Amino acid sequence: MSKLLKKILSAAIFPAALMIVSKVLGMALANRIFDLGWSVQSNTTGLFSIQILYPDRQSAIQCNSYSNLFMITCLLIGVGVTLFQGYFLHSSHQNPKVLIKMLKFDFLVWLSDTPTIFPNMAVWLAFLWTGTVICITQSLQDFTYPWISVFAIVASIVVTWLGVRDLERELDTILPKNGKLNI
Amino acid sequence: MYTIQKTAKILQEKFGKFLDPFVIFGIVSLFIIPVLVVLNLKPTYNDSPQNNVLGVSENTTVEIVPNTDKADGILIENVEQPDEENYIIIYDISPQTEGTFKNLSFTISNPSSKEHKIQVSPTFVDTPESSVISLMVDNVKFILHDSNGKTYPPTIYVEPGDEIPVYLVIENQEKVNFETNFSLEAIIE
């Protein structure tokens, strides 16, 4: 069995679960914070049989927008943790200064013992972009505030850029440069 | 124990590559399932909450409520309603002197959300030819019977939400010594 596929499969379980849980939690929080009235209705025409029903369009948009924002924020935190591991805590980047700082702040638990974190980062970024596409689609349908989509796009671009920079730095350390291996 | 582990390892080495499509399917599922769940969690809203209440239906037609109190010798003797949109009102007019007599005849209400019109058809049998009989709606007079004995079928338009009192006005040119009867048929359209 392919090791890469196994790694991607195991890396995708947590973000997939987080995407669902954060959306549900975001809806619950939005209902609580904005004191929105809601009910559950059964729908026999769609793929799923249960839908959340709001008394008016404004409440539905408000709940959907802030739950999407919460979901994107949770995925961003996941990507952020992976980036953090990539930049500072990955064993390939360790140096005495970083190790001392990690000991000082008790961050040793965050050390990644895997040879590479890029499959993990790619999976997190894929989920983040999926969430962003959902936000954009719903904004075009006038069902999510446009500023949330703009935030999701900007954040996704920034973290993807940071991830690519980290990948380049990693490749520079292991791949031949000017005909000579750098390791 | 060792043999089982060894056999499993050999099997995995030989047939492990055939598991790859299933792993790919698992990865794709892990992406598709959250997307479908999140899309399904898109809330819906009630377009017209007033119309979805069980046991409540919107009134679709006009109501005519006759006034059965006698005044100025004008009395509604009987009201028949062959169907929901058809009223027959029978009047009994007492002997009167010359002059003008007026009484609230009926009230029209339109609880529906669209405009309706009411076609009024009078039938006079023994009404003196010189008497002018009319309906007064919002200070507008609709003549039913003029001083030449000619009859007219007026149409009353009722806007949504309107509640209009309709008066019957009798103008006698001369004294009427006998009791008269006539009827109005009101058809709601």
Side-chain angles (χ1 to χ4, degrees):
Chain A
M1 203 188 316
S2 163
K3 278 184 182 174
L4 182 67
L5 288 176
K6 264 172 77 179
K7 196 178 271 288
I8 291 173
L9 183 68
S10 59
I13 293 168
F14 182 63
L18 183 76
M19 199 170 170
I20 297 169
V21 171
S22 60
K23 177 72 183 177
V24 175
L25 259 175
M27 289 178 84
L29 280 172
N31 290 342
R32 182 87 182 225
I33 292 166
F34 301 110
D35 198 22
L36 304 173
W38 60 280
S39 62
V40 177
Q41 78 166 8
S42 56
N43 178 19
T44 51
T45 55
L47 187 63
F48 294 89
S49 60
I50 287 176
Q51 281 185 322
I52 308 295
L53 181 73
Y54 285 87
D56 55 83
R57 183 178 164 80
Q58 193 52 45
S59 304
I61 292 174
Q62 197 173 22
C63 173
N64 194 49
S65 300
Y66 286 104
S67 58
N68 281 348
L69 180 67
F70 187 74
M71 179 183 75
I72 291 290
T73 309
C74 288
L75 291 172
L76 268 174
I77 291 169
V79 178
V81 168
T82 322
L83 277 173
F84 189 67
Q85 285 180 329
Y87 264 91
F88 302 108
L89 309 172
H90 195 270
S91 53
S92 62
H93 293 159
Q94 283 174 30
N95 64 47
K97 271 188 178 177
V98 173
L99 268 176
I100 288 166
K101 276 189 180 173
M102 281 160 62
L103 277 168
K104 198 176 169 186
F105 294 106
D106 202 16
F107 275 177
L108 277 179
V109 72
W110 291 94
L111 261 176
S112 175
D113 56 353
T114 54
T116 176
I117 57 150
F118 290 109
N120 205 16
M121 191 185 287
V123 166
W124 275 102
L125 283 173
F127 274 100
L128 180 65
W129 276 105
T130 308
T132 304
V133 169
I134 291 171
C135 284
I136 294 167
T137 312
Q138 292 185 344
S139 280
L140 293 174
Q141 292 169 345
D142 207 14
F143 220 80
T144 292
Y145 299 142
W147 65 266
I148 289 173
S149 296
V150 173
F151 166 75
I153 293 167
V154 172
S156 300
I157 289 171
V158 169
V159 292
T160 306
W161 173 64
L162 290 174
V164 169
R165 272 191 62 186
D166 193 37
L167 175 68
E168 276 181 345
R169 199 168 65 167
E170 190 79 11
L171 288 175
D172 280 347
T173 56
I174 55 170
L175 288 181
K177 207 173 185 180
N178 302 324
K180 285 175 77 179
L181 272 175
N182 288 323
I183 45 173
Chain B
M1 192 71 176
Y2 176 75
T3 323
I4 293 170
Q5 278 180 347
K6 203 176 173 184
T7 316
K9 201 177 175 186
I10 291 164
L11 280 174
Q12 201 179 345
E13 278 171 6
K14 271 195 170 177
F15 302 106
K17 60 188 172 192
F18 297 111
L19 289 174
D20 285 353
F22 296 102
V23 178
I24 292 168
F25 177 75
I27 293 167
V28 172
S29 302
L30 277 174
F31 275 89
I32 289 174
I33 291 166
V35 170
L36 287 177
V37 172
V38 168
L39 288 176
N40 184 61
L41 282 170
K42 181 179 150 187
T44 54
Y45 57 93
N46 218 340
D47 268 329
S48 48
Q50 296 304 316
N51 296 337
N52 276 347
V53 182
L54 281 174
V56 175
S57 59
E58 193 197 10
N59 286 318
T60 53
T61 190
V62 164
E63 284 174 4
I64 294 176
V65 181
N67 170 35
T68 51
D69 293 338
K70 187 175 180 178
D72 273 3
I74 302 168
L75 172 71
I76 290 181
E77 193 180 61
N78 193 21
V79 178
E80 293 169 15
Q81 193 177 2
D83 58 63
E84 201 183 336
E85 289 164 347
N86 195 359
Y87 290 81
I88 297 168
I89 303 165
I90 298 161
Y91 291 89
D92 180 72
I93 313 296
S94 302
Q96 290 167 325
T97 56
E98 66 175 269
T100 303
F101 304 91
K102 185 179 171 185
N103 187 17
L104 175 65
S105 188
F106 51 85
T107 305
I108 305 169
S109 58
N110 181 5
S112 74
S113 55
K114 64 171 188 174
E115 186 190 70
H116 284 279
K117 64 178 181 179
I118 298 168
Q119 200 78 46
V120 180
S121 305
T123 305
F124 298 99
V125 182
D126 50 6
T127 302
E129 204 174 279
S130 62
S131 292
V132 177
I133 299 173
S134 49
L135 290 175
M136 184 79 91
V137 181
D138 282 342
N139 292 322
V140 178
K141 204 181 261 185
F142 293 87
I143 293 177
L144 303 170
H145 182 276
D146 68 9
S147 55
N148 300 317
K150 201 174 172 187
T151 59
Y152 301 91
T155 303
I156 302 166
Y157 288 89
V158 195
E159 296 287 329
D162 270 1
E163 195 168 308
I164 308 167
V166 179
Y167 292 87
L168 185 77
V169 180
I170 300 174
E171 295 164 66
N172 290 324
Q173 309 295 326
E174 53 197 37
K175 191 177 174 185
V176 181
N177 292 314
F178 52 92
E179 199 175 279
T180 56
N181 294 89
F182 68 90
S183 66
L184 294 182
E185 186 179 13
I187 299 166
I188 301 161
E189 292 174 5

